Each structure stands twice: as C-alpha cells, then as structure tokens.
Amino acid sequence: MDVIAPKPVRTATLFGHPMGLFVLFFTEMWERFSYYGMRAILLLFLIDNVRGGLGLSEADGAAIYGIYTASVYLLSLPGGWLADNILGQRKSIWYGGIIIMLGHIILAFPSGSGLFYTGLCVVALGTGLLKPNISSIVGELYPEGGARKDAAFSIFYMGINTGSLLGISIVGYLGQKVGWHYGFGAAAVAMALGIITYRTFGQRYLGDKGNFVVPEPKTAGQSSSGNRSLLVFVAFIVGLMATLQLTGVLDLTTAQGLAKGMGTIISLIALSYFAYILIAGGLDSTEKKRVVVLFVFFLAAAMYWAGNEQQGSSLQIFADRYTDLLFFGWQIPSSWFQNLNPAFILIFSPVLAALWVFLANNKIDFSVPAKFAVSLLLLGLAYVVMVFAANVALTGVRTSPLYLTTTYLFFTVAELFLSPVGLSAFSKLSPRRHTSQLMGLWFVGSSLGNLIAGLFAGGFDEKNVQQMPNLFQSVAIFTLVAGFVLLLFSKPLKKWMGGIN
C-alpha cells in the first residue's frame, strides 16, 4: 500500500523573512484599515448634530470614544486567554475577523443610538480576539529571537500603519464629505478583504504556527482554587463599583462616570493579572524578574498611549476647530491630520529597523528600557509644541498646520521607539505558557491609555477654550518626568531581562 507523505510547509522567503510574516502583514493591514478608519470619524460622528450624528456633548462623546477604544484593547486579555486555552491563535484570528466585519456592517446602517452602540461592542469583541494573537504568531515565526525578530516586528508595524493610512484617507473622506455611514461601510469591506487574505494564504505559509493549544497542567484542586479566586475578584470589582456609586464618588449612569469606573477596573485587572502570574504562574526566579520588567513596560506604554491617542480625541477637535484646513483653496477633512502619524511611520520604520540591526551588529548597547524612556521624552516634546499651538489658538486665529505636523512627527518617532519594540519585548520576555495572555496585557496598557485620552478630551468644549494650554502642558510635564525616571532605571531593568535583548 502506498504511503502518502504529508504535504511540506512552504518555506519561501521575501526580503529574508518568511512569507508567513507578509500574510500576517496584509491581514493586519486590512484590520487596522477598518479600526483606524472608523476611529478617525467616531468622535466627530458622536458630537455631530447637523449631518445625522448622535449630537452628544464633547464631554459625553469623548467619554464614549474613550470607553470604546479602551474596550478594544482591554478585550485582548480574554482574547489571549481563549487562544492559549481553548481556540488556539489561528482560529482566534479567524473568528475575530468575522466578528469585526459583522460589527462594522451594523454601524453601516443608519439607526438609533442603541444599534450603533451594539455595533461598537461587536467590533470591540472581535478586535480583542484578533489583535493579541496575530502579534503572537509573528513572534512564533522567529524562535531564535534577536535583532531579526525586532526587524520583523518593525515590518509588521508597517502593515499596521499602511492600513491606518488607507483607512483614515478613505473612511475619513467618505464620512466627512459623503455621509457618516458610508465611512462605516468602507470599514466593513476592508475587514472582509483581511479575512479573505488570511484564509487564502494562511494555510499555505503559516504551517502549524498558532494551531495548537498547550494548556498548563492543573490538578482538580488547583482548578477549583483558580475558579474561586476569579469569583472573589469579580465580587470585589462589583462591590467596589457599587460603593463608588452609592457614595457619590462616581455616577455610573453617565458616560463620563462609566468611563472613570472603567479606568478603575482596567487598572485593577492589570495589577491583579500581573500579580497572579508572578505568584501562581509557576515561574522560576528569572522568569519572575522578566515579568516585573514587563510590568514596568506596561506602565510606560499606558503613559505613552494616553498621550498618543489624543490623535482621535483632543487633537482631532483641535484640528477641526482651531487649525487652518485650506489646502490650495480646498478644505481638507480634519480627520486627515491623523494620517500624518502612519505616513511618517512608513517613512521612518525602515530607517529605525535598520538602525536596530546596525547597533546589534556593532555591539552598541541601546537597551529596550532606554528606548522606552526616549519614547516618553519625545512624547513630552510633542506636547510642548501643542502648548505653543494652543496659545496661538486663543488669539482667535486658526493655527498653522505646521504645529500639528511637528507634533505628529514627534509622536511618530516616539511610537517607533516604543510600540514595535514593546511588541517584540513582550514576545521574547513572556514565559511561553503565558505568551498570549501577557501579549493581551500589553494591549491592556493601550486600553488604559485610550481611556485616559478620551476623558482628557472632555475638557475641549467651547466653554473651556482658555484651559487648552494648561491641559497640553500637564501632559508635557508628566511624560517628560516619567521619561527621565525610566532612563535612570534603564540599566537595572536591563539586568532583570536576564540576557534577552
């Protein structure tokens, strides 16, 4: 009887990288098209009362914006757990993409606020399932680690920003110039293209990466103890929220109160999860030190994203109301300013990717903690520029586009020092049995930052214009101080990484 040999996995490469990287590149590109495109017009739609938007106040609209963008990343934590324990990463990406597409289809139909919020919830659920797991598979393609893996994440990051650039351009134009729901519909089409790309080429070039679930062995007693701990934690969260509501500290019946309550929950979840992995994760001393380093990176990322994600909130309002939008006689959509970030990233990503490889080859030390510190310092400088811009706006003159352009340039370089580097660091430093869950925690840092960004933008109403310089100045001071502190501790943090660069 003839024996049929198993079909070999293709090991084709492009630019020295496995083809699987580019399958994930294009899948993520279309998913980010849908996310950033819709995000570019979301706050404008929420506060619009002229062209069929929901007509909310700036404070309520910004709070809902923050809740949505925070939920997208917060749900990466259960998404990572489902992949690690039940579905595997590949199936999680597939199901997540389908759910995202369905959410955008819901948003594409003009309807009341109830159905619209339902669509936002569906998109957030799907993104939480897809986002951490696609990044984890990128890491699996490079088991050897090193500078080549860092370069791969930089290439992958270019896919993210290509999608962002296309999404903001197309969805932003359709939403602001044609109709809001045409923009939301374009996001659904983009996600469909991502699903088709992933399904068509994933089996061919990803091999068995991300297909298997390797659950941590547990005794019956350990499982029961884990369930009890989870129930106690949930009960504590419910009790805390009820106490804050009854004492009047928060009003969870309002969008702003709900956003503040969600910030409390996110912070507690992150702290508890890191503590759980350190105490009950079965780690040795080296792994524990690495998880502590990841916690520091998590805090730095949350600070960074709280500033960076003003792009879709306070800086979007600043672009719409206080920036000169005329370009050779044509008024450009204000959302297009958000394109500066991905455009600059596409320009500078290859430069910094080559720089990391050059430094590694020449044994020049530029540690990950130091890169994070530089990122926060550059973010602080970006907000120093916005302080000057806000002072010009107070004179009643629309500001030059150069202010926002310079701010976004600083944002871009800062992001390249933190985001792809952070993705790679979480992939390399995470204990293997907790990889997707810790990758989910990396995105929880983005969640917390997004929520803070939304709440911050609530101060940008017409009655609060005089506060703009002080608001931007507070961000500048906070991030500059945090950057200097992290720079001081970069050497000891590098030692705790245990030889992983």
Side-chain angles (χ1 to χ4, degrees), residues 288-316:
K288 286 182 178 180
K289 287 181 179 179
R290 288 172 180 168
V291 170
V292 171
V293 173
L294 291 179
F295 178 66
V296 174
F297 291 168
F298 165 85
L299 293 177
M303 290 181 223
Y304 172 78
W305 292 117
N308 178 283
E309 290 298 335
Q310 302 293 334
Q311 294 178 56
S313 54
S314 63
L315 294 184
Q316 174 57 58

PDB file of all heavy atoms in Angstrom, residues 288-316:
ATOM      1  N   LYS A 288      10.297  35.462  36.778  1.00  0.00           N
ATOM      2  CA  LYS A 288       9.612  36.465  37.604  1.00  0.00           C
ATOM      3  C   LYS A 288      10.212  37.855  37.392  1.00  0.00           C
ATOM      4  O   LYS A 288       9.493  38.857  37.297  1.00  0.00           O
ATOM      5  CB  LYS A 288       9.681  36.077  39.078  1.00  0.00           C
ATOM      6  CG  LYS A 288       8.756  34.927  39.452  1.00  0.00           C
ATOM      7  CD  LYS A 288       8.835  34.607  40.942  1.00  0.00           C
ATOM      8  CE  LYS A 288       7.870  33.478  41.297  1.00  0.00           C
ATOM      9  NZ  LYS A 288       7.924  33.132  42.744  1.00  0.00           N
ATOM     10  N   LYS A 289      11.540  37.922  37.330  1.00  0.00           N
ATOM     11  CA  LYS A 289      12.185  39.219  37.084  1.00  0.00           C
ATOM     12  C   LYS A 289      11.771  39.776  35.726  1.00  0.00           C
ATOM     13  O   LYS A 289      11.519  40.984  35.579  1.00  0.00           O
ATOM     14  CB  LYS A 289      13.706  39.066  37.159  1.00  0.00           C
ATOM     15  CG  LYS A 289      14.237  38.871  38.570  1.00  0.00           C
ATOM     16  CD  LYS A 289      15.756  38.742  38.572  1.00  0.00           C
ATOM     17  CE  LYS A 289      16.281  38.565  39.984  1.00  0.00           C
ATOM     18  NZ  LYS A 289      17.759  38.414  40.015  1.00  0.00           N
ATOM     19  N   ARG A 290      11.680  38.901  34.729  1.00  0.00           N
ATOM     20  CA  ARG A 290      11.272  39.354  33.401  1.00  0.00           C
ATOM     21  C   ARG A 290       9.836  39.870  33.406  1.00  0.00           C
ATOM     22  O   ARG A 290       9.516  40.861  32.735  1.00  0.00           O
ATOM     23  CB  ARG A 290      11.431  38.216  32.396  1.00  0.00           C
ATOM     24  CG  ARG A 290      12.880  37.890  32.072  1.00  0.00           C
ATOM     25  CD  ARG A 290      13.007  36.639  31.231  1.00  0.00           C
ATOM     26  NE  ARG A 290      14.406  36.339  30.930  1.00  0.00           N
ATOM     27  CZ  ARG A 290      14.823  35.199  30.423  1.00  0.00           C
ATOM     28  NH1 ARG A 290      13.950  34.228  30.144  1.00  0.00           N
ATOM     29  NH2 ARG A 290      16.107  35.004  30.185  1.00  0.00           N
ATOM     30  N   VAL A 291       8.960  39.219  34.166  1.00  0.00           N
ATOM     31  CA  VAL A 291       7.570  39.681  34.246  1.00  0.00           C
ATOM     32  C   VAL A 291       7.500  41.042  34.948  1.00  0.00           C
ATOM     33  O   VAL A 291       6.695  41.902  34.570  1.00  0.00           O
ATOM     34  CB  VAL A 291       6.695  38.636  34.957  1.00  0.00           C
ATOM     35  CG1 VAL A 291       5.306  39.194  35.264  1.00  0.00           C
ATOM     36  CG2 VAL A 291       6.564  37.385  34.090  1.00  0.00           C
ATOM     37  N   VAL A 292       8.351  41.262  35.952  1.00  0.00           N
ATOM     38  CA  VAL A 292       8.415  42.583  36.600  1.00  0.00           C
ATOM     39  C   VAL A 292       8.830  43.646  35.585  1.00  0.00           C
ATOM     40  O   VAL A 292       8.271  44.754  35.545  1.00  0.00           O
ATOM     41  CB  VAL A 292       9.382  42.567  37.799  1.00  0.00           C
ATOM     42  CG1 VAL A 292       9.621  43.991  38.318  1.00  0.00           C
ATOM     43  CG2 VAL A 292       8.835  41.685  38.916  1.00  0.00           C
ATOM     44  N   VAL A 293       9.810  43.329  34.747  1.00  0.00           N
ATOM     45  CA  VAL A 293      10.231  44.257  33.690  1.00  0.00           C
ATOM     46  C   VAL A 293       9.070  44.540  32.744  1.00  0.00           C
ATOM     47  O   VAL A 293       8.830  45.685  32.354  1.00  0.00           O
ATOM     48  CB  VAL A 293      11.433  43.697  32.908  1.00  0.00           C
ATOM     49  CG1 VAL A 293      11.763  44.575  31.710  1.00  0.00           C
ATOM     50  CG2 VAL A 293      12.650  43.580  33.820  1.00  0.00           C
ATOM     51  N   LEU A 294       8.312  43.498  32.393  1.00  0.00           N
ATOM     52  CA  LEU A 294       7.152  43.683  31.518  1.00  0.00           C
ATOM     53  C   LEU A 294       6.112  44.594  32.172  1.00  0.00           C
ATOM     54  O   LEU A 294       5.444  45.369  31.484  1.00  0.00           O
ATOM     55  CB  LEU A 294       6.520  42.332  31.165  1.00  0.00           C
ATOM     56  CG  LEU A 294       7.346  41.419  30.260  1.00  0.00           C
ATOM     57  CD1 LEU A 294       6.604  40.107  30.005  1.00  0.00           C
ATOM     58  CD2 LEU A 294       7.693  42.102  28.943  1.00  0.00           C
ATOM     59  N   PHE A 295       5.983  44.516  33.494  1.00  0.00           N
ATOM     60  CA  PHE A 295       5.049  45.402  34.195  1.00  0.00           C
ATOM     61  C   PHE A 295       5.482  46.862  34.071  1.00  0.00           C
ATOM     62  O   PHE A 295       4.660  47.756  33.849  1.00  0.00           O
ATOM     63  CB  PHE A 295       4.944  45.000  35.667  1.00  0.00           C
ATOM     64  CG  PHE A 295       4.028  45.886  36.470  1.00  0.00           C
ATOM     65  CD1 PHE A 295       2.664  45.908  36.223  1.00  0.00           C
ATOM     66  CD2 PHE A 295       4.541  46.714  37.463  1.00  0.00           C
ATOM     67  CE1 PHE A 295       1.818  46.728  36.962  1.00  0.00           C
ATOM     68  CE2 PHE A 295       3.708  47.534  38.195  1.00  0.00           C
ATOM     69  CZ  PHE A 295       2.332  47.545  37.954  1.00  0.00           C
ATOM     70  N   VAL A 296       6.793  47.104  34.194  1.00  0.00           N
ATOM     71  CA  VAL A 296       7.303  48.472  34.013  1.00  0.00           C
ATOM     72  C   VAL A 296       7.032  48.948  32.584  1.00  0.00           C
ATOM     73  O   VAL A 296       6.602  50.089  32.362  1.00  0.00           O
ATOM     74  CB  VAL A 296       8.812  48.536  34.328  1.00  0.00           C
ATOM     75  CG1 VAL A 296       9.374  49.925  34.000  1.00  0.00           C
ATOM     76  CG2 VAL A 296       9.065  48.191  35.789  1.00  0.00           C
ATOM     77  N   PHE A 297       7.261  48.065  31.608  1.00  0.00           N
ATOM     78  CA  PHE A 297       6.971  48.420  30.219  1.00  0.00           C
ATOM     79  C   PHE A 297       5.479  48.708  30.030  1.00  0.00           C
ATOM     80  O   PHE A 297       5.096  49.601  29.264  1.00  0.00           O
ATOM     81  CB  PHE A 297       7.398  47.291  29.285  1.00  0.00           C
ATOM     82  CG  PHE A 297       8.887  47.102  29.173  1.00  0.00           C
ATOM     83  CD1 PHE A 297       9.415  45.964  28.558  1.00  0.00           C
ATOM     84  CD2 PHE A 297       9.774  48.040  29.685  1.00  0.00           C
ATOM     85  CE1 PHE A 297      10.788  45.785  28.450  1.00  0.00           C
ATOM     86  CE2 PHE A 297      11.143  47.866  29.577  1.00  0.00           C
ATOM     87  CZ  PHE A 297      11.654  46.735  28.964  1.00  0.00           C
ATOM     88  N   PHE A 298       4.641  47.940  30.720  1.00  0.00           N
ATOM     89  CA  PHE A 298       3.195  48.156  30.663  1.00  0.00           C
ATOM     90  C   PHE A 298       2.841  49.563  31.136  1.00  0.00           C
ATOM     91  O   PHE A 298       2.054  50.284  30.497  1.00  0.00           O
ATOM     92  CB  PHE A 298       2.492  47.103  31.529  1.00  0.00           C
ATOM     93  CG  PHE A 298       1.057  47.421  31.842  1.00  0.00           C
ATOM     94  CD1 PHE A 298       0.046  47.080  30.961  1.00  0.00           C
ATOM     95  CD2 PHE A 298       0.718  48.059  33.034  1.00  0.00           C
ATOM     96  CE1 PHE A 298      -1.277  47.385  31.247  1.00  0.00           C
ATOM     97  CE2 PHE A 298      -0.595  48.367  33.327  1.00  0.00           C
ATOM     98  CZ  PHE A 298      -1.600  48.025  32.432  1.00  0.00           C
ATOM     99  N   LEU A 299       3.423  49.984  32.265  1.00  0.00           N
ATOM    100  CA  LEU A 299       3.143  51.326  32.797  1.00  0.00           C
ATOM    101  C   LEU A 299       3.611  52.407  31.820  1.00  0.00           C
ATOM    102  O   LEU A 299       2.898  53.397  31.574  1.00  0.00           O
ATOM    103  CB  LEU A 299       3.836  51.509  34.149  1.00  0.00           C
ATOM    104  CG  LEU A 299       3.322  50.649  35.313  1.00  0.00           C
ATOM    105  CD1 LEU A 299       4.170  50.905  36.557  1.00  0.00           C
ATOM    106  CD2 LEU A 299       1.861  50.953  35.599  1.00  0.00           C
ATOM    107  N   ALA A 300       4.807  52.222  31.258  1.00  0.00           N
ATOM    108  CA  ALA A 300       5.331  53.198  30.297  1.00  0.00           C
ATOM    109  C   ALA A 300       4.445  53.266  29.067  1.00  0.00           C
ATOM    110  O   ALA A 300       4.170  54.357  28.536  1.00  0.00           O
ATOM    111  CB  ALA A 300       6.760  52.828  29.901  1.00  0.00           C
ATOM    112  N   ALA A 301       3.969  52.099  28.611  1.00  0.00           N
ATOM    113  CA  ALA A 301       3.090  52.075  27.438  1.00  0.00           C
ATOM    114  C   ALA A 301       1.774  52.785  27.718  1.00  0.00           C
ATOM    115  O   ALA A 301       1.266  53.519  26.859  1.00  0.00           O
ATOM    116  CB  ALA A 301       2.830  50.626  27.012  1.00  0.00           C
ATOM    117  N   ALA A 302       1.211  52.573  28.909  1.00  0.00           N
ATOM    118  CA  ALA A 302      -0.045  53.246  29.255  1.00  0.00           C
ATOM    119  C   ALA A 302       0.135  54.761  29.233  1.00  0.00           C
ATOM    120  O   ALA A 302      -0.727  55.503  28.728  1.00  0.00           O
ATOM    121  CB  ALA A 302      -0.534  52.781  30.625  1.00  0.00           C
ATOM    122  N   MET A 303       1.266  55.245  29.770  1.00  0.00           N
ATOM    123  CA  MET A 303       1.545  56.686  29.741  1.00  0.00           C
ATOM    124  C   MET A 303       1.680  57.178  28.307  1.00  0.00           C
ATOM    125  O   MET A 303       1.141  58.226  27.934  1.00  0.00           O
ATOM    126  CB  MET A 303       2.848  56.989  30.499  1.00  0.00           C
ATOM    127  CG  MET A 303       2.780  56.807  31.989  1.00  0.00           C
ATOM    128  SD  MET A 303       4.389  57.237  32.738  1.00  0.00           S
ATOM    129  CE  MET A 303       4.556  55.908  33.917  1.00  0.00           C
ATOM    130  N   TYR A 304       2.418  56.400  27.513  1.00  0.00           N
ATOM    131  CA  TYR A 304       2.629  56.822  26.133  1.00  0.00           C
ATOM    132  C   TYR A 304       1.309  56.896  25.368  1.00  0.00           C
ATOM    133  O   TYR A 304       1.023  57.890  24.695  1.00  0.00           O
ATOM    134  CB  TYR A 304       3.584  55.874  25.408  1.00  0.00           C
ATOM    135  CG  TYR A 304       3.649  56.198  23.936  1.00  0.00           C
ATOM    136  CD1 TYR A 304       4.398  57.278  23.487  1.00  0.00           C
ATOM    137  CD2 TYR A 304       2.889  55.498  23.006  1.00  0.00           C
ATOM    138  CE1 TYR A 304       4.414  57.628  22.156  1.00  0.00           C
ATOM    139  CE2 TYR A 304       2.894  55.840  21.668  1.00  0.00           C
ATOM    140  CZ  TYR A 304       3.662  56.904  21.251  1.00  0.00           C
ATOM    141  OH  TYR A 304       3.653  57.261  19.923  1.00  0.00           O
ATOM    142  N   TRP A 305       0.484  55.848  25.455  1.00  0.00           N
ATOM    143  CA  TRP A 305      -0.751  55.827  24.668  1.00  0.00           C
ATOM    144  C   TRP A 305      -1.749  56.863  25.159  1.00  0.00           C
ATOM    145  O   TRP A 305      -2.577  57.347  24.366  1.00  0.00           O
ATOM    146  CB  TRP A 305      -1.361  54.424  24.690  1.00  0.00           C
ATOM    147  CG  TRP A 305      -0.538  53.423  23.942  1.00  0.00           C
ATOM    148  CD1 TRP A 305       0.089  52.321  24.438  1.00  0.00           C
ATOM    149  CD2 TRP A 305      -0.208  53.458  22.537  1.00  0.00           C
ATOM    150  NE1 TRP A 305       0.779  51.662  23.457  1.00  0.00           N
ATOM    151  CE2 TRP A 305       0.620  52.334  22.277  1.00  0.00           C
ATOM    152  CE3 TRP A 305      -0.527  54.317  21.486  1.00  0.00           C
ATOM    153  CZ2 TRP A 305       1.120  52.060  21.015  1.00  0.00           C
ATOM    154  CZ3 TRP A 305      -0.031  54.038  20.226  1.00  0.00           C
ATOM    155  CH2 TRP A 305       0.784  52.927  19.997  1.00  0.00           C
ATOM    156  N   ALA A 306      -1.692  57.220  26.447  1.00  0.00           N
ATOM    157  CA  ALA A 306      -2.569  58.285  26.936  1.00  0.00           C
ATOM    158  C   ALA A 306      -2.274  59.587  26.197  1.00  0.00           C
ATOM    159  O   ALA A 306      -3.183  60.399  25.957  1.00  0.00           O
ATOM    160  CB  ALA A 306      -2.376  58.473  28.439  1.00  0.00           C
ATOM    161  N   GLY A 307      -1.010  59.806  25.827  1.00  0.00           N
ATOM    162  CA  GLY A 307      -0.664  60.996  25.046  1.00  0.00           C
ATOM    163  C   GLY A 307      -0.875  60.800  23.568  1.00  0.00           C
ATOM    164  O   GLY A 307      -1.475  61.633  22.892  1.00  0.00           O
ATOM    165  N   ASN A 308      -0.426  59.656  23.030  1.00  0.00           N
ATOM    166  CA  ASN A 308      -0.519  59.404  21.598  1.00  0.00           C
ATOM    167  C   ASN A 308      -1.953  59.343  21.110  1.00  0.00           C
ATOM    168  O   ASN A 308      -2.278  59.851  20.028  1.00  0.00           O
ATOM    169  CB  ASN A 308       0.204  58.091  21.271  1.00  0.00           C
ATOM    170  CG  ASN A 308       0.122  57.731  19.797  1.00  0.00           C
ATOM    171  OD1 ASN A 308      -0.902  57.255  19.314  1.00  0.00           O
ATOM    172  ND2 ASN A 308       1.209  57.948  19.082  1.00  0.00           N
ATOM    173  N   GLU A 309      -2.837  58.720  21.888  1.00  0.00           N
ATOM    174  CA  GLU A 309      -4.203  58.520  21.431  1.00  0.00           C
ATOM    175  C   GLU A 309      -5.068  59.770  21.514  1.00  0.00           C
ATOM    176  O   GLU A 309      -6.268  59.729  21.231  1.00  0.00           O
ATOM    177  CB  GLU A 309      -4.853  57.370  22.202  1.00  0.00           C
ATOM    178  CG  GLU A 309      -4.284  56.007  21.846  1.00  0.00           C
ATOM    179  CD  GLU A 309      -4.492  55.636  20.386  1.00  0.00           C
ATOM    180  OE1 GLU A 309      -5.437  56.141  19.762  1.00  0.00           O
ATOM    181  OE2 GLU A 309      -3.692  54.838  19.854  1.00  0.00           O
ATOM    182  N   GLN A 310      -4.470  60.902  21.874  1.00  0.00           N
ATOM    183  CA  GLN A 310      -5.180  62.176  21.727  1.00  0.00           C
ATOM    184  C   GLN A 310      -5.423  62.480  20.247  1.00  0.00           C
ATOM    185  O   GLN A 310      -6.205  63.370  19.910  1.00  0.00           O
ATOM    186  CB  GLN A 310      -4.358  63.313  22.336  1.00  0.00           C
ATOM    187  CG  GLN A 310      -4.009  63.157  23.797  1.00  0.00           C
ATOM    188  CD  GLN A 310      -5.196  63.224  24.710  1.00  0.00           C
ATOM    189  OE1 GLN A 310      -6.208  63.830  24.390  1.00  0.00           O
ATOM    190  NE2 GLN A 310      -5.092  62.575  25.849  1.00  0.00           N
ATOM    191  N   GLN A 311      -4.761  61.721  19.362  1.00  0.00           N
ATOM    192  CA  GLN A 311      -4.942  61.951  17.927  1.00  0.00           C
ATOM    193  C   GLN A 311      -6.408  61.883  17.511  1.00  0.00           C
ATOM    194  O   GLN A 311      -6.875  62.675  16.696  1.00  0.00           O
ATOM    195  CB  GLN A 311      -4.150  60.916  17.131  1.00  0.00           C
ATOM    196  CG  GLN A 311      -2.656  61.021  17.275  1.00  0.00           C
ATOM    197  CD  GLN A 311      -1.945  59.934  16.498  1.00  0.00           C
ATOM    198  OE1 GLN A 311      -2.136  59.792  15.297  1.00  0.00           O
ATOM    199  NE2 GLN A 311      -1.123  59.156  17.172  1.00  0.00           N
ATOM    200  N   GLY A 312      -7.130  60.923  18.059  1.00  0.00           N
ATOM    201  CA  GLY A 312      -8.531  60.767  17.681  1.00  0.00           C
ATOM    202  C   GLY A 312      -9.486  61.513  18.576  1.00  0.00           C
ATOM    203  O   GLY A 312     -10.696  61.513  18.322  1.00  0.00           O
ATOM    204  N   SER A 313      -8.972  62.159  19.620  1.00  0.00           N
ATOM    205  CA  SER A 313      -9.858  62.852  20.561  1.00  0.00           C
ATOM    206  C   SER A 313      -9.532  64.348  20.613  1.00  0.00           C
ATOM    207  O   SER A 313      -9.986  65.117  19.775  1.00  0.00           O
ATOM    208  CB  SER A 313      -9.787  62.190  21.942  1.00  0.00           C
ATOM    209  OG  SER A 313      -8.447  62.117  22.409  1.00  0.00           O
ATOM    210  N   SER A 314      -8.701  64.782  21.564  1.00  0.00           N
ATOM    211  CA  SER A 314      -8.467  66.223  21.728  1.00  0.00           C
ATOM    212  C   SER A 314      -7.788  66.841  20.506  1.00  0.00           C
ATOM    213  O   SER A 314      -8.135  67.952  20.086  1.00  0.00           O
ATOM    214  CB  SER A 314      -7.632  66.477  22.983  1.00  0.00           C
ATOM    215  OG  SER A 314      -6.352  65.896  22.872  1.00  0.00           O
ATOM    216  N   LEU A 315      -6.808  66.136  19.912  1.00  0.00           N
ATOM    217  CA  LEU A 315      -6.127  66.703  18.742  1.00  0.00           C
ATOM    218  C   LEU A 315      -7.037  66.708  17.514  1.00  0.00           C
ATOM    219  O   LEU A 315      -6.896  67.570  16.636  1.00  0.00           O
ATOM    220  CB  LEU A 315      -4.840  65.935  18.450  1.00  0.00           C
ATOM    221  CG  LEU A 315      -3.742  66.044  19.517  1.00  0.00           C
ATOM    222  CD1 LEU A 315      -2.490  65.321  19.072  1.00  0.00           C
ATOM    223  CD2 LEU A 315      -3.427  67.497  19.848  1.00  0.00           C
ATOM    224  N   GLN A 316      -7.991  65.762  17.452  1.00  0.00           N
ATOM    225  CA  GLN A 316      -8.974  65.789  16.371  1.00  0.00           C
ATOM    226  C   GLN A 316      -9.870  67.016  16.500  1.00  0.00           C
ATOM    227  O   GLN A 316     -10.165  67.695  15.517  1.00  0.00           O
ATOM    228  CB  GLN A 316      -9.826  64.519  16.402  1.00  0.00           C
ATOM    229  CG  GLN A 316     -10.985  64.511  15.416  1.00  0.00           C
ATOM    230  CD  GLN A 316     -10.536  64.710  13.980  1.00  0.00           C
ATOM    231  OE1 GLN A 316      -9.742  63.942  13.456  1.00  0.00           O
ATOM    232  NE2 GLN A 316     -11.039  65.755  13.336  1.00  0.00           N
TER     233      GLN A 316
END
